[in-house]
Amino acid sequence: MIRRRLPLFSMLLAALATALGLSGPAEGGTETRTWQEIVTAAKGQTVYWNAWGGDERINAYIAWVGDYMREEYDVTLKHVKLADTADAVSRVLAERTAGKKEDGSVDLIWINGENFAAMKKQHLLYGPFTQALPNFRLVDFENKPSTLVDFTVPADGLEAPWGMAKLNFPYDSARVENPPRSIPEFLDWAEAHPGRFTYPAPPAFLGSTFLKQALIELAPDPAFLQQPVANDAQVEQLTRPLWEYLDRLHPNLWRGGETFPSGGPAQRQLLDDGEIDISLSFNPAEASSAIANKLLPETVRTFVLDKGTIGNTHFVAIPFNAKAAEGAMVVANFLMSPKAQAVKQNPEAWGDPTVLAMSKLSDGQRHLFETLPLGLATLSPEDLGPTLLEPHPSWMTRIEAEWQKRYAR
Amino acid sequence: MRRRGLLSSFPAITLAAFLAPVGAGLIGTWLPAFGFFPALGGESFTLAPWRALFAQPGLAESLRLTLVSGLLATLLAFLLTVFFLAACHGGRLILMLRGLLAPLIAVPHAAVALGLAFLIAPSGWLVRLVSPWATGWELPPDVATVQDPNALALTLALVMKEVPFLLLMTLAALEQVRAEERLAVARSLGYGPVVAWLKAVLPAVYRQIRLPVYAVLAFSLSVVDMALILAPLTPPPLAVQVLRWFNDPDLSLRFVAAAGATLQLLLVIAAIVLWRLGEAAVALAGRAWIAGGQRGGDGRAARPLSAGLVLGLAALAAAGLAAVALWSVTGRWRYPDALPASFSLDTWTRHAPEVAAITGTTLVTGLAAAGIALLLALGCLENEQRRGLTLSNRALWLLYAPLLVPQVAFLFGTQVLAIQAGIDATWIALVWSHLLFVLPYVFLTLADPYRALDERYARTALCLGARPNRVFWQVKLPMLLRPVLFALAVGFAVSVAQYLPTLFAGAGRFATLTTEAVGLAAGGDRRVMGVYAFLQALLPLLAFAAALALPRPLALTRRLAKAPA
């Protein structure tokens, strides 16, 4: 029994060593084909779209996109439901490790922020390709600068904008009369109501966003946050008020700040269970939609902060070794169409704000958006307040690491 | 003769099929742990990943959580098993519990954890039942009962899952060591029932269950799905933390992850060594105790106490599963209502197509993995019998290898290998990865009854002129139908429960009931989670029910087919 095992074993070892040695950085190339050529090439392709699968409304929306793609473009769309977008980054990396430079298993990724920064830096992306997509011209670059600059990292045509996000706070109006209107007021409120607020543990994105929101409001000179971290002394100077603030806030949080919910959905569940009074969301319509789905009580409303809250854009990108790059581009283009964007902004479907500029649409296309309902707990665009830009990812990396060091021990 | 050649290669095929991926996966993890990972620019060997690992904040706390939950759970499960059997040996209670515990083994870990989490949470069912009328809690109390700082909720869940496993393994071992005779002698010398069992039976039986105990220890120290649901997150136990590093967008953390995965392996080895030393110490002390000759009492108190504890665990698990089932038909159920305010089949109907597809994947994968495992196990056992071989202790260790090596310690390396072989994210890779864990259980379940079959049946058939293959198909297999189906059900249940292998080998393209349920545990919609967790628990139970119910009609059909017209 054992005698037979050895040769096979060493064979596998050799195969593995070859696999690890085979790899090298991949090079992207600009997409130069015409739209018609791309659509023709896409016919019959199957697109594996790796997208976070934690929300059934979003999953249903993606399924709707899939139906449309099959009917209109003969493209089969398969939703690969991720628990974490980084899983897809891992896969693409593992494929390059194994020397798989084409026919990769990921065709399209729902992405932004540090995942995009990491893939761009490691040359794991296809393109630039967005200039080839007809609907890209309808995007509101002028008023939504985050559609071109993703967490201060230029998108450079390597990702197509898909939707907008803006930090807001769902709360139970049956228990909270005067919600805090600024980061310092959050501390006063938590001291007056100990154990009734928390935020998801970084690096869950809502937790990291809360830290960044606090950093922007508390830093002596927030303008520096738009540039990469210069040196340790600068980090120390800009973040000290944040840590002093959190040191005072944490003892008044849920579970005394000893433990934190795993992410946004977990925190929403806590709000529904009555374990806390205030939650966080990146989607202004999420609370309304959760009420409609009996996931939150009807007394829930949302608030934002007086000086504005962080907003950003989420995108779709194509890995360098995608098997169905053309099909992926056709999907990305449809995602930016007025039809798909209007359905996505409808709170009854998903409620994710559009990336398009109303001024660039025809009357008929604009009408699709003007007739959308708002929802019980959704603030109108005027009431959503100013949008603050995401800091450079290097700041997020620093504060996430420092947070782990200080509070996750 | 060709046929015999094929049969004799079964052991080699079997070992290659499931040891090679483990071995290659380990090496594929060790190389990056020492800095070699060209895709990320690691071209030379260095200790930098280890330095980075030890500089990670919270590592000490992760290790503490892992050790506390892993060691404590194993120790408690083992002690409870031993005292229960010692106190209740030969009683009807054991027979009853045996029937009760078998289903609990079949229920996947994640379903048990999800049920327990909802039961004992501060806003969970137990508190809802007594609030606010008895407790005055209009709002849930701010106490950490799940994801608690000492991982006690995780420990409890592990004990709930491991006691039934150890009980069944020990009960099987008891038959081999002639426990009844040992007990009879000890009792006739005036020993009390509990002390007689501990002094005369335990030393013999422990040798038989040592490997299962080690498997429990290794599993408890490296469990991921249960820890994701019940253990603290900031920081989590080591295995979860390693998974996070593997998934971090900062790709340089892959090196740290590989080092962490290797540390996880070392941790398990160290724990097993520690346990082994503990065995030696207990044996030393025990020998003196046995020689001391104390007879002990009649064990009247031990019986209800140990039985109560075991029954309590089973009841807790059952209540958790009931809660899961209830959530799946809930319309709205807010704290502090003891029962849902409204019931609805909406969740089931809305998710029906998706649930059907995922159940299908789970079913087909489980049946394929269990079927292949059964084929290999039968081939090995038949080969062993025809050639008069017996399995050495060393070979048994090999069989246990995938159960003793922590999954995170080799799955990353295996994934790279699968991509190289061009089978990653395919159904083959998925079934194969399940097979690694299904095969040992199927083999262990089948080996004893197979070897115990009276060889005179086969010999008689041979004397009547039947060829060995005909004897196998027409004599042995029909007589062994019940254990064969049971082994198939065990294999299926093991496959359904797999979380990490499905995640790694399936590349996210293959969703099973387990990956869906664990994914939704992060807070999605409890009603949807209820649907998946309920089905996840139901599927293996149905498999076991079928294994119990099928032999009779199958035998009948056979007899009717054979009957002269």
mmCIF file with all atom_site columns, all heavy atoms in Angstrom, chain B residues 84-95 171 174 179-180 183 193 197 303:
data_model
loop_
_atom_site.group_PDB
_atom_site.id
_atom_site.type_symbol
_atom_site.label_atom_id
_atom_site.label_alt_id
_atom_site.label_comp_id
_atom_site.label_asym_id
_atom_site.label_entity_id
_atom_site.label_seq_id
_atom_site.pdbx_PDB_ins_code
_atom_site.Cartn_x
_atom_site.Cartn_y
_atom_site.Cartn_z
_atom_site.occupancy
_atom_site.B_iso_or_equiv
_atom_site.pdbx_formal_charge
_atom_site.auth_seq_id
_atom_site.auth_comp_id
_atom_site.auth_asym_id
_atom_site.auth_atom_id
_atom_site.pdbx_PDB_model_num
ATOM 1   N N   . PHE B 1 84  ? -20.889 8.700  31.180 1.00 0.00 ? 84  PHE B N   1
ATOM 2   C CA  . PHE B 1 84  ? -22.219 8.241  30.823 1.00 0.00 ? 84  PHE B CA  1
ATOM 3   C C   . PHE B 1 84  ? -22.221 6.727  30.597 1.00 0.00 ? 84  PHE B C   1
ATOM 4   O O   . PHE B 1 84  ? -23.062 5.995  31.119 1.00 0.00 ? 84  PHE B O   1
ATOM 5   C CB  . PHE B 1 84  ? -22.714 8.983  29.585 1.00 0.00 ? 84  PHE B CB  1
ATOM 6   C CG  . PHE B 1 84  ? -24.002 8.436  29.040 1.00 0.00 ? 84  PHE B CG  1
ATOM 7   C CD1 . PHE B 1 84  ? -25.183 8.605  29.743 1.00 0.00 ? 84  PHE B CD1 1
ATOM 8   C CD2 . PHE B 1 84  ? -24.035 7.735  27.847 1.00 0.00 ? 84  PHE B CD2 1
ATOM 9   C CE1 . PHE B 1 84  ? -26.372 8.090  29.256 1.00 0.00 ? 84  PHE B CE1 1
ATOM 10  C CE2 . PHE B 1 84  ? -25.214 7.217  27.356 1.00 0.00 ? 84  PHE B CE2 1
ATOM 11  C CZ  . PHE B 1 84  ? -26.387 7.399  28.057 1.00 0.00 ? 84  PHE B CZ  1
ATOM 12  N N   . LEU B 1 85  ? -21.229 6.253  29.836 1.00 0.00 ? 85  LEU B N   1
ATOM 13  C CA  . LEU B 1 85  ? -21.185 4.820  29.550 1.00 0.00 ? 85  LEU B CA  1
ATOM 14  C C   . LEU B 1 85  ? -20.885 4.013  30.805 1.00 0.00 ? 85  LEU B C   1
ATOM 15  O O   . LEU B 1 85  ? -21.441 2.931  31.023 1.00 0.00 ? 85  LEU B O   1
ATOM 16  C CB  . LEU B 1 85  ? -20.155 4.538  28.456 1.00 0.00 ? 85  LEU B CB  1
ATOM 17  C CG  . LEU B 1 85  ? -20.592 4.962  27.060 1.00 0.00 ? 85  LEU B CG  1
ATOM 18  C CD1 . LEU B 1 85  ? -19.470 4.769  26.061 1.00 0.00 ? 85  LEU B CD1 1
ATOM 19  C CD2 . LEU B 1 85  ? -21.816 4.170  26.622 1.00 0.00 ? 85  LEU B CD2 1
ATOM 20  N N   . ALA B 1 86  ? -19.995 4.564  31.646 1.00 0.00 ? 86  ALA B N   1
ATOM 21  C CA  . ALA B 1 86  ? -19.660 3.867  32.883 1.00 0.00 ? 86  ALA B CA  1
ATOM 22  C C   . ALA B 1 86  ? -20.885 3.758  33.784 1.00 0.00 ? 86  ALA B C   1
ATOM 23  O O   . ALA B 1 86  ? -21.150 2.712  34.389 1.00 0.00 ? 86  ALA B O   1
ATOM 24  C CB  . ALA B 1 86  ? -18.531 4.599  33.603 1.00 0.00 ? 86  ALA B CB  1
ATOM 25  N N   . ALA B 1 87  ? -21.653 4.850  33.839 1.00 0.00 ? 87  ALA B N   1
ATOM 26  C CA  . ALA B 1 87  ? -22.785 4.880  34.759 1.00 0.00 ? 87  ALA B CA  1
ATOM 27  C C   . ALA B 1 87  ? -23.967 4.076  34.222 1.00 0.00 ? 87  ALA B C   1
ATOM 28  O O   . ALA B 1 87  ? -24.718 3.483  34.995 1.00 0.00 ? 87  ALA B O   1
ATOM 29  C CB  . ALA B 1 87  ? -23.202 6.333  35.014 1.00 0.00 ? 87  ALA B CB  1
ATOM 30  N N   . CYS B 1 88  ? -24.143 4.075  32.914 1.00 0.00 ? 88  CYS B N   1
ATOM 31  C CA  . CYS B 1 88  ? -25.368 3.498  32.365 1.00 0.00 ? 88  CYS B CA  1
ATOM 32  C C   . CYS B 1 88  ? -25.145 2.210  31.598 1.00 0.00 ? 88  CYS B C   1
ATOM 33  O O   . CYS B 1 88  ? -26.040 1.761  30.864 1.00 0.00 ? 88  CYS B O   1
ATOM 34  C CB  . CYS B 1 88  ? -26.065 4.512  31.458 1.00 0.00 ? 88  CYS B CB  1
ATOM 35  S SG  . CYS B 1 88  ? -26.400 6.060  32.294 1.00 0.00 ? 88  CYS B SG  1
ATOM 36  N N   . HIS B 1 89  ? -23.980 1.606  31.719 1.00 0.00 ? 89  HIS B N   1
ATOM 37  C CA  . HIS B 1 89  ? -23.680 0.432  30.911 1.00 0.00 ? 89  HIS B CA  1
ATOM 38  C C   . HIS B 1 89  ? -24.753 -0.649 31.039 1.00 0.00 ? 89  HIS B C   1
ATOM 39  O O   . HIS B 1 89  ? -25.186 -0.982 32.130 1.00 0.00 ? 89  HIS B O   1
ATOM 40  C CB  . HIS B 1 89  ? -22.322 -0.161 31.305 1.00 0.00 ? 89  HIS B CB  1
ATOM 41  C CG  . HIS B 1 89  ? -21.886 -1.251 30.375 1.00 0.00 ? 89  HIS B CG  1
ATOM 42  N ND1 . HIS B 1 89  ? -21.036 -1.010 29.324 1.00 0.00 ? 89  HIS B ND1 1
ATOM 43  C CD2 . HIS B 1 89  ? -22.200 -2.564 30.317 1.00 0.00 ? 89  HIS B CD2 1
ATOM 44  C CE1 . HIS B 1 89  ? -20.838 -2.124 28.666 1.00 0.00 ? 89  HIS B CE1 1
ATOM 45  N NE2 . HIS B 1 89  ? -21.531 -3.090 29.238 1.00 0.00 ? 89  HIS B NE2 1
ATOM 46  N N   . GLY B 1 90  ? -25.162 -1.153 29.879 1.00 0.00 ? 90  GLY B N   1
ATOM 47  C CA  . GLY B 1 90  ? -26.112 -2.257 29.891 1.00 0.00 ? 90  GLY B CA  1
ATOM 48  C C   . GLY B 1 90  ? -27.547 -1.847 30.136 1.00 0.00 ? 90  GLY B C   1
ATOM 49  O O   . GLY B 1 90  ? -28.444 -2.673 30.051 1.00 0.00 ? 90  GLY B O   1
ATOM 50  N N   . GLY B 1 91  ? -27.781 -0.581 30.422 1.00 0.00 ? 91  GLY B N   1
ATOM 51  C CA  . GLY B 1 91  ? -29.149 -0.153 30.703 1.00 0.00 ? 91  GLY B CA  1
ATOM 52  C C   . GLY B 1 91  ? -29.932 0.095  29.422 1.00 0.00 ? 91  GLY B C   1
ATOM 53  O O   . GLY B 1 91  ? -29.361 0.185  28.327 1.00 0.00 ? 91  GLY B O   1
ATOM 54  N N   . ARG B 1 92  ? -31.265 0.194  29.603 1.00 0.00 ? 92  ARG B N   1
ATOM 55  C CA  . ARG B 1 92  ? -32.096 0.459  28.436 1.00 0.00 ? 92  ARG B CA  1
ATOM 56  C C   . ARG B 1 92  ? -31.868 1.874  27.914 1.00 0.00 ? 92  ARG B C   1
ATOM 57  O O   . ARG B 1 92  ? -32.075 2.179  26.756 1.00 0.00 ? 92  ARG B O   1
ATOM 58  C CB  . ARG B 1 92  ? -33.570 0.271  28.809 1.00 0.00 ? 92  ARG B CB  1
ATOM 59  C CG  . ARG B 1 92  ? -34.104 -1.085 28.408 1.00 0.00 ? 92  ARG B CG  1
ATOM 60  C CD  . ARG B 1 92  ? -35.551 -1.169 28.780 1.00 0.00 ? 92  ARG B CD  1
ATOM 61  N NE  . ARG B 1 92  ? -35.735 -0.707 30.164 1.00 0.00 ? 92  ARG B NE  1
ATOM 62  C CZ  . ARG B 1 92  ? -36.916 -0.366 30.676 1.00 0.00 ? 92  ARG B CZ  1
ATOM 63  N NH1 . ARG B 1 92  ? -37.991 -0.406 29.943 1.00 0.00 ? 92  ARG B NH1 1
ATOM 64  N NH2 . ARG B 1 92  ? -37.016 0.006  31.938 1.00 0.00 ? 92  ARG B NH2 1
ATOM 65  N N   . LEU B 1 93  ? -31.428 2.754  28.842 1.00 0.00 ? 93  LEU B N   1
ATOM 66  C CA  . LEU B 1 93  ? -31.206 4.148  28.519 1.00 0.00 ? 93  LEU B CA  1
ATOM 67  C C   . LEU B 1 93  ? -30.245 4.291  27.344 1.00 0.00 ? 93  LEU B C   1
ATOM 68  O O   . LEU B 1 93  ? -30.430 5.116  26.455 1.00 0.00 ? 93  LEU B O   1
ATOM 69  C CB  . LEU B 1 93  ? -30.639 4.852  29.758 1.00 0.00 ? 93  LEU B CB  1
ATOM 70  C CG  . LEU B 1 93  ? -30.799 6.356  29.792 1.00 0.00 ? 93  LEU B CG  1
ATOM 71  C CD1 . LEU B 1 93  ? -32.263 6.712  29.768 1.00 0.00 ? 93  LEU B CD1 1
ATOM 72  C CD2 . LEU B 1 93  ? -30.132 6.912  31.028 1.00 0.00 ? 93  LEU B CD2 1
ATOM 73  N N   . ILE B 1 94  ? -29.209 3.450  27.362 1.00 0.00 ? 94  ILE B N   1
ATOM 74  C CA  . ILE B 1 94  ? -28.200 3.545  26.299 1.00 0.00 ? 94  ILE B CA  1
ATOM 75  C C   . ILE B 1 94  ? -28.811 3.195  24.957 1.00 0.00 ? 94  ILE B C   1
ATOM 76  O O   . ILE B 1 94  ? -28.591 3.880  23.962 1.00 0.00 ? 94  ILE B O   1
ATOM 77  C CB  . ILE B 1 94  ? -27.004 2.622  26.615 1.00 0.00 ? 94  ILE B CB  1
ATOM 78  C CG1 . ILE B 1 94  ? -26.232 3.225  27.767 1.00 0.00 ? 94  ILE B CG1 1
ATOM 79  C CG2 . ILE B 1 94  ? -26.132 2.445  25.389 1.00 0.00 ? 94  ILE B CG2 1
ATOM 80  C CD1 . ILE B 1 94  ? -24.836 2.729  27.916 1.00 0.00 ? 94  ILE B CD1 1
ATOM 81  N N   . LEU B 1 95  ? -29.627 2.140  24.963 1.00 0.00 ? 95  LEU B N   1
ATOM 82  C CA  . LEU B 1 95  ? -30.272 1.746  23.714 1.00 0.00 ? 95  LEU B CA  1
ATOM 83  C C   . LEU B 1 95  ? -31.142 2.869  23.183 1.00 0.00 ? 95  LEU B C   1
ATOM 84  O O   . LEU B 1 95  ? -31.110 3.209  22.003 1.00 0.00 ? 95  LEU B O   1
ATOM 85  C CB  . LEU B 1 95  ? -31.137 0.504  23.958 1.00 0.00 ? 95  LEU B CB  1
ATOM 86  C CG  . LEU B 1 95  ? -30.372 -0.813 23.953 1.00 0.00 ? 95  LEU B CG  1
ATOM 87  C CD1 . LEU B 1 95  ? -31.332 -1.968 24.173 1.00 0.00 ? 95  LEU B CD1 1
ATOM 88  C CD2 . LEU B 1 95  ? -29.607 -0.972 22.646 1.00 0.00 ? 95  LEU B CD2 1
ATOM 89  N N   . LEU B 1 171 ? -19.240 2.732  21.768 1.00 0.00 ? 171 LEU B N   1
ATOM 90  C CA  . LEU B 1 171 ? -20.157 1.584  21.816 1.00 0.00 ? 171 LEU B CA  1
ATOM 91  C C   . LEU B 1 171 ? -19.698 0.490  20.869 1.00 0.00 ? 171 LEU B C   1
ATOM 92  O O   . LEU B 1 171 ? -19.738 -0.702 21.197 1.00 0.00 ? 171 LEU B O   1
ATOM 93  C CB  . LEU B 1 171 ? -21.577 2.040  21.449 1.00 0.00 ? 171 LEU B CB  1
ATOM 94  C CG  . LEU B 1 171 ? -22.331 2.768  22.571 1.00 0.00 ? 171 LEU B CG  1
ATOM 95  C CD1 . LEU B 1 171 ? -23.623 3.371  22.047 1.00 0.00 ? 171 LEU B CD1 1
ATOM 96  C CD2 . LEU B 1 171 ? -22.623 1.810  23.716 1.00 0.00 ? 171 LEU B CD2 1
ATOM 97  N N   . LEU B 1 174 ? -16.720 -1.213 22.394 1.00 0.00 ? 174 LEU B N   1
ATOM 98  C CA  . LEU B 1 174 ? -17.044 -2.056 23.555 1.00 0.00 ? 174 LEU B CA  1
ATOM 99  C C   . LEU B 1 174 ? -17.265 -3.497 23.148 1.00 0.00 ? 174 LEU B C   1
ATOM 100 O O   . LEU B 1 174 ? -16.922 -4.426 23.868 1.00 0.00 ? 174 LEU B O   1
ATOM 101 C CB  . LEU B 1 174 ? -18.309 -1.522 24.246 1.00 0.00 ? 174 LEU B CB  1
ATOM 102 C CG  . LEU B 1 174 ? -18.100 -0.319 25.164 1.00 0.00 ? 174 LEU B CG  1
ATOM 103 C CD1 . LEU B 1 174 ? -19.441 0.175  25.679 1.00 0.00 ? 174 LEU B CD1 1
ATOM 104 C CD2 . LEU B 1 174 ? -17.189 -0.685 26.316 1.00 0.00 ? 174 LEU B CD2 1
ATOM 105 N N   . ALA B 1 179 ? -16.474 -6.353 26.743 1.00 0.00 ? 179 ALA B N   1
ATOM 106 C CA  . ALA B 1 179 ? -16.723 -5.560 27.932 1.00 0.00 ? 179 ALA B CA  1
ATOM 107 C C   . ALA B 1 179 ? -17.575 -6.305 28.950 1.00 0.00 ? 179 ALA B C   1
ATOM 108 O O   . ALA B 1 179 ? -17.334 -6.214 30.157 1.00 0.00 ? 179 ALA B O   1
ATOM 109 C CB  . ALA B 1 179 ? -17.403 -4.250 27.533 1.00 0.00 ? 179 ALA B CB  1
ATOM 110 N N   . GLU B 1 180 ? -18.561 -7.086 28.453 1.00 0.00 ? 180 GLU B N   1
ATOM 111 C CA  . GLU B 1 180 ? -19.468 -7.763 29.376 1.00 0.00 ? 180 GLU B CA  1
ATOM 112 C C   . GLU B 1 180 ? -18.704 -8.698 30.318 1.00 0.00 ? 180 GLU B C   1
ATOM 113 O O   . GLU B 1 180 ? -18.932 -8.718 31.526 1.00 0.00 ? 180 GLU B O   1
ATOM 114 C CB  . GLU B 1 180 ? -20.511 -8.572 28.595 1.00 0.00 ? 180 GLU B CB  1
ATOM 115 C CG  . GLU B 1 180 ? -21.457 -7.732 27.747 1.00 0.00 ? 180 GLU B CG  1
ATOM 116 C CD  . GLU B 1 180 ? -22.244 -6.718 28.567 1.00 0.00 ? 180 GLU B CD  1
ATOM 117 O OE1 . GLU B 1 180 ? -22.432 -6.951 29.779 1.00 0.00 ? 180 GLU B OE1 1
ATOM 118 O OE2 . GLU B 1 180 ? -22.641 -5.685 27.993 1.00 0.00 ? 180 GLU B OE2 1
ATOM 119 N N   . LEU B 1 183 ? -16.663 -6.799 32.834 1.00 0.00 ? 183 LEU B N   1
ATOM 120 C CA  . LEU B 1 183 ? -17.519 -6.245 33.872 1.00 0.00 ? 183 LEU B CA  1
ATOM 121 C C   . LEU B 1 183 ? -17.961 -7.325 34.857 1.00 0.00 ? 183 LEU B C   1
ATOM 122 O O   . LEU B 1 183 ? -17.964 -7.121 36.071 1.00 0.00 ? 183 LEU B O   1
ATOM 123 C CB  . LEU B 1 183 ? -18.752 -5.600 33.247 1.00 0.00 ? 183 LEU B CB  1
ATOM 124 C CG  . LEU B 1 183 ? -18.657 -4.110 32.927 1.00 0.00 ? 183 LEU B CG  1
ATOM 125 C CD1 . LEU B 1 183 ? -19.976 -3.638 32.348 1.00 0.00 ? 183 LEU B CD1 1
ATOM 126 C CD2 . LEU B 1 183 ? -18.296 -3.307 34.165 1.00 0.00 ? 183 LEU B CD2 1
ATOM 127 N N   . PRO B 1 193 ? -20.665 -0.673 39.960 1.00 0.00 ? 193 PRO B N   1
ATOM 128 C CA  . PRO B 1 193 ? -20.782 -0.698 38.493 1.00 0.00 ? 193 PRO B CA  1
ATOM 129 C C   . PRO B 1 193 ? -19.917 0.358  37.799 1.00 0.00 ? 193 PRO B C   1
ATOM 130 O O   . PRO B 1 193 ? -19.256 0.066  36.810 1.00 0.00 ? 193 PRO B O   1
ATOM 131 C CB  . PRO B 1 193 ? -22.275 -0.469 38.251 1.00 0.00 ? 193 PRO B CB  1
ATOM 132 C CG  . PRO B 1 193 ? -22.833 0.032  39.535 1.00 0.00 ? 193 PRO B CG  1
ATOM 133 C CD  . PRO B 1 193 ? -21.953 -0.476 40.633 1.00 0.00 ? 193 PRO B CD  1
ATOM 134 N N   . TRP B 1 197 ? -16.476 -0.395 35.588 1.00 0.00 ? 197 TRP B N   1
ATOM 135 C CA  . TRP B 1 197 ? -16.337 0.004  34.179 1.00 0.00 ? 197 TRP B CA  1
ATOM 136 C C   . TRP B 1 197 ? -15.050 0.801  33.975 1.00 0.00 ? 197 TRP B C   1
ATOM 137 O O   . TRP B 1 197 ? -14.272 0.542  33.057 1.00 0.00 ? 197 TRP B O   1
ATOM 138 C CB  . TRP B 1 197 ? -17.548 0.841  33.765 1.00 0.00 ? 197 TRP B CB  1
ATOM 139 C CG  . TRP B 1 197 ? -17.767 0.905  32.283 1.00 0.00 ? 197 TRP B CG  1
ATOM 140 C CD1 . TRP B 1 197 ? -18.568 0.087  31.553 1.00 0.00 ? 197 TRP B CD1 1
ATOM 141 C CD2 . TRP B 1 197 ? -17.197 1.830  31.352 1.00 0.00 ? 197 TRP B CD2 1
ATOM 142 N NE1 . TRP B 1 197 ? -18.526 0.435  30.223 1.00 0.00 ? 197 TRP B NE1 1
ATOM 143 C CE2 . TRP B 1 197 ? -17.692 1.499  30.068 1.00 0.00 ? 197 TRP B CE2 1
ATOM 144 C CE3 . TRP B 1 197 ? -16.310 2.896  31.479 1.00 0.00 ? 197 TRP B CE3 1
ATOM 145 C CZ2 . TRP B 1 197 ? -17.341 2.209  28.932 1.00 0.00 ? 197 TRP B CZ2 1
ATOM 146 C CZ3 . TRP B 1 197 ? -15.951 3.608  30.337 1.00 0.00 ? 197 TRP B CZ3 1
ATOM 147 C CH2 . TRP B 1 197 ? -16.452 3.258  29.082 1.00 0.00 ? 197 TRP B CH2 1
ATOM 148 N N   . ARG B 1 303 ? -25.775 7.887  37.522 1.00 0.00 ? 303 ARG B N   1
ATOM 149 C CA  . ARG B 1 303 ? -26.637 7.533  36.396 1.00 0.00 ? 303 ARG B CA  1
ATOM 150 C C   . ARG B 1 303 ? -27.529 8.694  35.946 1.00 0.00 ? 303 ARG B C   1
ATOM 151 O O   . ARG B 1 303 ? -27.421 9.139  34.816 1.00 0.00 ? 303 ARG B O   1
ATOM 152 C CB  . ARG B 1 303 ? -27.459 6.297  36.768 1.00 0.00 ? 303 ARG B CB  1
ATOM 153 C CG  . ARG B 1 303 ? -28.169 5.689  35.586 1.00 0.00 ? 303 ARG B CG  1
ATOM 154 C CD  . ARG B 1 303 ? -28.766 4.366  35.963 1.00 0.00 ? 303 ARG B CD  1
ATOM 155 N NE  . ARG B 1 303 ? -27.733 3.417  36.363 1.00 0.00 ? 303 ARG B NE  1
ATOM 156 C CZ  . ARG B 1 303 ? -27.761 2.125  36.001 1.00 0.00 ? 303 ARG B CZ  1
ATOM 157 N NH1 . ARG B 1 303 ? -28.748 1.673  35.275 1.00 0.00 ? 303 ARG B NH1 1
ATOM 158 N NH2 . ARG B 1 303 ? -26.820 1.315  36.378 1.00 0.00 ? 303 ARG B NH2 1
#
